[in-house]
Amino acid sequence: MPEDVTARDLHPSARNELKTLSKENAEHVARHLAMASRLIDEDPALAHQHALAASRRAGRIAIVRETLGITAYANEDFALALRELRTYRRISGKDDQIALMVDSERGIGRPDRALETGRAVDRSELTTPVRVALAIAMSGARLDQGDLELALGELEIPELDPDRAFEWSPALFSARAAVLEDLGRTEEAAFWAHRAEVAAEALGVDEAGDEEIFVEDGLIDDIEDLDEDSDAADADAGAEPDDENENVVEPEPSIEDEVRELLGEDETDAAVTEADESVTADSDTDDSDTDEGRDSSKEA
């Protein structure tokens, strides 16, 4: 375990689930989960080992079983992934990993069970990213059965909008392109494949998460122009604000500025410091003491 990995590398909501553990054990589990999250893309096998280590210490914690299921899925151990994700759902009461459960059933070779699993949840209760991921998984299960038209129908959801891009759009567009390719509708497939590329590039530049982005043919050029404008704006960051901008808020004068205005520009820095100390000392007194302090300052 790298020494620079601490419990704080784990998301606060995940750390909150570990409060039932002892402080020392929670620290160890959190570090293993943080490492699993760090390695899941570049080294899923090692990520899975960290998830296993966490599960040996905290097997009844939902986030631990979820992590173990995800890392098992990443290593194509679909039976273990399905078992762990079912346990996670039972402990947490959440369906946010339903798409991986459907895909795990597919990985085991049971597309019928995959479709049953997906149909068993109320999609209106799912968040949009989960609902889109489920649609893609269900489409895959239809493909496994050889039902191409039904596979295409699973992707006919409100989120399938070629003119807008969200975090889930590239995967959704690509899935539709793949099904259309299998159906021999090559022109439509090329259109959606292109939309997937544009959406991915746009989201990579903007990093907007679930913020809506309008996807136009000239979008990438527009983004590059915006980047150039942004660089120019950064270069001019030190320029004086426009007097005509009514939203500009002038900074309040500091104590030193007020004292300099009262004493004149020719007064020394020592006088400013003395007045500053006087004001600081006066702030600890009551109202009458403050008035006396100010009178004595004026006499001085």
Side-chain angles (χ1 to χ4, degrees), residues 185-258:
R185 295 156 61 174
T186 55
E187 291 186 4
E188 293 178 73
F191 169 82
W192 285 102
H194 174 66
R195 275 308 193 226
E197 293 176 1
V198 173
E201 292 182 26
L203 290 165
V205 172
D206 191 82
E207 297 181 353
D210 58 358
E211 180 181 343
E212 181 179 4
I213 296 178
F214 288 90
V215 180
E216 304 292 348
D217 289 336
L219 177 62
I220 304 304
D221 293 335
D222 293 341
I223 290 176
E224 292 175 353
D225 292 339
L226 288 174
D227 289 342
E228 293 176 0
D229 293 342
S230 177
D231 293 339
D234 292 340
D236 295 337
E240 293 295 329
D242 189 352
D243 293 338
E244 295 179 359
N245 188 349
E246 296 179 356
N247 294 325
V248 175
V249 179
E250 295 293 337
E252 296 183 359
S254 63
I255 293 174
E256 289 85 350
D257 294 335
E258 292 179 350

Side-chain angles (χ1 to χ4, degrees), residues 89-110:
R89 182 171 63 174
R90 185 174 64 251
I91 295 174
S92 67
K94 298 178 180 179
D95 284 318
D96 52 341
Q97 295 298 345
I98 187 64
L100 287 190
M101 294 175 66
V102 171
D103 253 353
S104 295
E105 290 283 13
R106 291 181 59 209
I108 297 173
R110 301 187 301 204

Side-chain angles (χ1 to χ4, degrees), residues 278 282 285-299:
S278 175
D282 290 343
T285 64
D286 58 22
D287 293 339
S288 60
D289 291 342
T290 301
D291 292 337
E292 293 175 5
R294 289 175 178 170
D295 291 338
S296 60
S297 177
K298 289 180 181 178
E299 292 175 1

Side-chain angles (χ1 to χ4, degrees), residues 10-11 14-15 17-18 29-40 44-55 58-59 61-75 77 80-81 84-89 96-97 100:
L10 190 64
H11 193 278
R15 291 204 312 270
E17 293 189 37
L18 307 180
V29 172
R31 294 179 69 198
H32 280 299
L33 294 179
M35 282 299 297
S37 177
R38 175 186 292 188
L39 296 169
I40 187 65
L46 184 54
H48 186 56
Q49 292 302 314
H50 281 287
L52 285 169
S55 69
I61 304 297
I63 183 63
V64 174
R65 303 306 285 268
E66 180 186 25
T67 303
L68 184 55
I70 292 172
T71 58
Y73 176 85
N75 285 277
D77 188 346
L80 177 60
E84 294 302 319
L85 293 175
R86 282 175 175 170
T87 303
Y88 161 71
R89 182 171 63 174
D96 52 341
Q97 295 298 345
L100 287 190

